[in-house]
Amino acid sequence: MRVTQSGLDLNLLIALDLLLEEGSVSGAARRMHLSEPAMSRTLGRIRKALGDPVLVRAGRVMVPTPHALTLRAEVRAVVERAQALFTPTGQLDLSTLSRTFTVLAHDAFGALYGSALLARAAAEAPGVRLRILADSHLDAPTLREGGADLEVGVIDSTAPEVRVEQLFEDRMLGVARPGHPLLTEGPVTPERFAAAPQLSVSRRGRMHGPIDTALARLGLTRTVSASTPTFLAALFMSLDSDLVGLANLRARPLTDALGLALFEIPLELPPLPFGLAWHPRHDADPAHAWLRERVRELMTAPTG
């Protein structure tokens, strides 16, 4: 965005940030308390300053241009730094906070913690909205590029520009329908476990993982009959078939609600390290710190 002789209107940065977040003129206008014609004129000024259309129509929606996508993280960072600059240290008026946070998480996160997190936000920061996105099958630098504010789950990123906070370790369990032959016709041994038809959960469609590595140490292999990218889909597939699935211990409320049976896997498996990840540009942002603390509280609360 060029600086002219008359100076730069920093409100254009705020408008650009909201336009990229909302993907619509009407949504950004509502957030800035402007009329749609006024926001359209603002978008015109931004386009002129950047020399780029910024948002273009694709069917019934508007999508950012490639150039706008490259600017999104930087624009968000500048707006957040400006907001932090004018917020007294340690003070944040949650009652007036207007923000949409994007959380990148496994679908089990929304099922287990989504309602409680929304309730906490409604009580403390009614102007906050949450957008929970599923993990992508692509290894995109989503946090760095501003596509998400926070990542939650088993964090496998080692990128130096990402902050990672480990919260707890969980363990992997097997899950099957009630009355499954594996659970009713004898003890669950490595041999019987390996012989049962199995279901993999992988956003990349992988059918090999730590289970196979542990079985290989015993000279055993298993048959993975299907793969699904979402945990909840896998639970329903296990419920209506003889497929054996996997679940972590903290997902027990979900398996119990469906009437599925959890069982110990007779293998030496690595722990599952659950945590948070975010870009360092959010470190000094009090609103982001509030989000991290609320997610941290929910995920580390004692389980029954």
Side-chain angles (χ1 to χ4, degrees), residues 104 136-145 151 157 203-204:
L104 186 67
S136 171
H137 68 286
L138 302 174
D139 289 321
T142 309
L143 295 174
R144 185 183 68 198
E145 293 180 353
E151 183 177 358
S157 173
R203 68 181 186 272
R204 299 181 183 90

Side-chain angles (χ1 to χ4, degrees), residues 122-133:
E124 297 181 9
V128 162
R129 299 187 300 172
L130 296 174
R131 179 191 292 120
I132 301 177
L133 295 182

Side-chain angles (χ1 to χ4, degrees), residues 136-299:
S136 171
H137 68 286
L138 302 174
D139 289 321
T142 309
L143 295 174
R144 185 183 68 198
E145 293 180 353
D149 299 293
L150 186 68
E151 183 177 358
V152 181
V154 178
I155 309 298
D156 55 10
S157 173
T158 57
E161 71 273 17
V162 173
R163 297 271 194 268
V164 177
E165 177 186 345
Q166 297 297 342
L167 297 179
F168 60 85
E169 287 188 344
D170 206 345
R171 72 179 196 274
M172 196 178 298
L173 299 173
V175 61
R177 66 170 176 81
H180 192 289
L182 177 63
L183 306 180
T184 61
E185 297 180 0
V188 182
T189 63
E191 292 77 12
R192 294 189 66 240
F193 175 77
Q198 303 205 14
L199 176 63
S200 170
V201 179
S202 170
R203 68 181 186 272
R204 299 181 183 90
R206 291 174 178 168
M207 293 189 174
H208 187 282
I211 292 285
D212 303 278
T213 302
L215 286 171
R217 289 196 291 263
L218 301 176
L220 299 171
T221 59
R222 63 173 180 158
T223 298
V224 178
S225 300
S227 173
T228 179
T230 68
F231 175 68
L232 294 179
L235 292 185
F236 280 99
M237 291 173 72
S238 294
L239 184 62
D240 293 328
S241 72
D242 279 341
L243 292 174
V244 171
L246 301 173
N248 58 297
L249 181 59
R250 290 202 175 217
R252 182 157 212 146
L254 301 179
T255 58
D256 285 352
L258 291 175
L260 286 161
L262 286 178
F263 62 91
E264 296 288 342
I265 299 173
L267 299 170
E268 292 185 9
L269 299 172
L272 301 173
F274 280 78
L276 310 176
W278 66 93
H279 194 276
R281 65 175 172 270
H282 297 303
D283 283 347
D285 177 11
H288 196 279
W290 168 82
L291 174 67
R292 298 195 302 268
E293 180 59 28
R294 293 299 166 264
V295 173
R296 184 184 300 116
E297 287 176 354
L298 287 173
M299 294 189 66

